[in-house]
Amino acid sequence: MTTIGNNLQQVLGRIAQACAAAGRDPASVRLLAVSKTFGDDAVRRAAEAGQRAFGENYIQEGVAKIAALRGGAIPWAPPLQWHCIGPVQSNKTRHVAEHFDWVHTVDREKIAQRLSEQRPAGLAPLDVCIQVNVDGGATKAGVPPAEARALAQAVARLPRLRLRGLMSIPDVAPDFAAQLAVHAAAKALFDQIRGEGGEGFAAFDTLSLGMTTDLEAAIHAGSTLVRVGTGLFGTRAAPA
């Protein structure tokens, strides 16, 4: 087994242990492998070890990997699933709409409208998470919690999009208790929005929280999808 394959088993073990500690079914938490800055070969090795969902922060880099791995000779079964987890500017919405399966970082109605208009009719609806700045971090993207419901309603009304849930990337917290507190706030908001429901909310089932360093706290709080890069692929090289 490759190093990435071993790492994958360790991460899945952490998820299972965290679910057991929280009294949850491990099947209720999905792993998103964050493959930004790692090449096609790294993604291929993870896919060969059984991983199917990959997250990309840099849209052009992600599109190139999607083309190389989706259009290649290897018939992945089930197919690889690609999530855009980086910021989406207006001039990049077409790339996201045409190539990705999910986008986690919608925080403006204008971006959602462009994604809806540019999603090809031949593809399934683009799955969308609203990014929420749950802890008010000054350098963090995302809609304020008080505005998340209205944005979710706007997305739910748009054709070619499917509202799936919320995503948050809080500032680094010093310990488990602090991590749990901020993730619990995101879970409370998720539950509130899901409970209010409405047309277009039938698939609202995803809370994208937690990364390599805090996935245990995120799972304890109720995350249904954890985004792991370093724990799977290793430390990223510093920019040249």
Side-chain angles (χ1 to χ4, degrees):
M1 185 179 291
T2 66
T3 299
I4 289 176
N6 284 324
N7 290 347
L8 176 61
Q9 293 309 308
Q10 292 177 11
V11 171
L12 293 174
R14 286 179 62 188
I15 292 171
Q17 290 176 356
C19 286
R24 297 181 59 189
D25 181 352
S28 67
V29 181
R30 291 173 290 154
L31 170 62
L32 182 64
V34 179
S35 46
K36 68 176 182 180
T37 76
F38 292 96
D40 303 349
D41 287 345
V43 175
R44 186 176 290 108
R45 289 195 294 273
E48 288 169 347
Q51 179 63 23
R52 288 294 178 268
F54 294 88
E56 290 287 328
N57 290 61
Y58 308 121
I59 293 170
Q60 288 178 305
E61 176 189 334
V63 168
K65 289 180 195 172
I66 292 168
L69 293 161
R70 183 178 280 169
I74 301 175
W76 303 110
L80 304 187
Q81 185 183 81
W82 294 92
H83 296 233
C84 175
I85 58 173
V88 181
Q89 303 300 325
S90 295
N91 64 343
K92 294 293 195 305
T93 53
R94 184 173 298 278
H95 295 299
V96 175
E98 292 181 348
H99 297 281
F100 286 85
D101 302 299
W102 284 67
V103 55
H104 291 223
T105 49
V106 171
D107 61 2
R108 288 173 288 159
E109 186 174 354
K110 174 185 175 181
I111 295 299
Q113 289 174 335
R114 289 178 64 87
L115 290 169
S116 175
E117 293 165 359
Q118 294 168 347
R119 182 67 168 176
L123 296 180
L126 180 65
D127 287 313
V128 172
C129 288
I130 304 299
Q131 183 172 0
V132 181
N133 185 357
V134 70
D135 59 347
T139 64
K140 298 294 182 181
V143 65
E147 299 174 18
R149 169 66 179 172
L151 180 56
Q153 289 176 319
V155 170
R157 290 191 294 265
L158 290 170
R160 310 302 308 145
L161 303 183
R162 179 165 50 207
L163 178 66
R164 294 301 302 267
L166 303 181
M167 184 273 260
S168 189
I169 311 174
D171 285 337
V172 176
D175 53 38
F176 181 88
Q179 294 168 358
L180 181 58
V182 70
H183 289 318
K187 178 61 161 60
L189 179 63
F190 173 81
D191 287 344
Q192 176 188 343
I193 293 174
R194 183 171 61 173
E196 292 171 357
E199 186 176 354
F201 282 75
F204 193 87
D205 61 359
T206 299
L207 181 58
S208 174
L209 287 177
M211 298 184 285
T212 299
T213 58
D214 64 348
L215 68 84
E216 285 84 4
I219 288 171
H220 195 88
S223 174
T224 68
L225 184 150
V226 292
R227 309 177 303 268
V228 175
T230 303
L232 181 57
F233 295 107
T235 303
R236 292 180 175 86

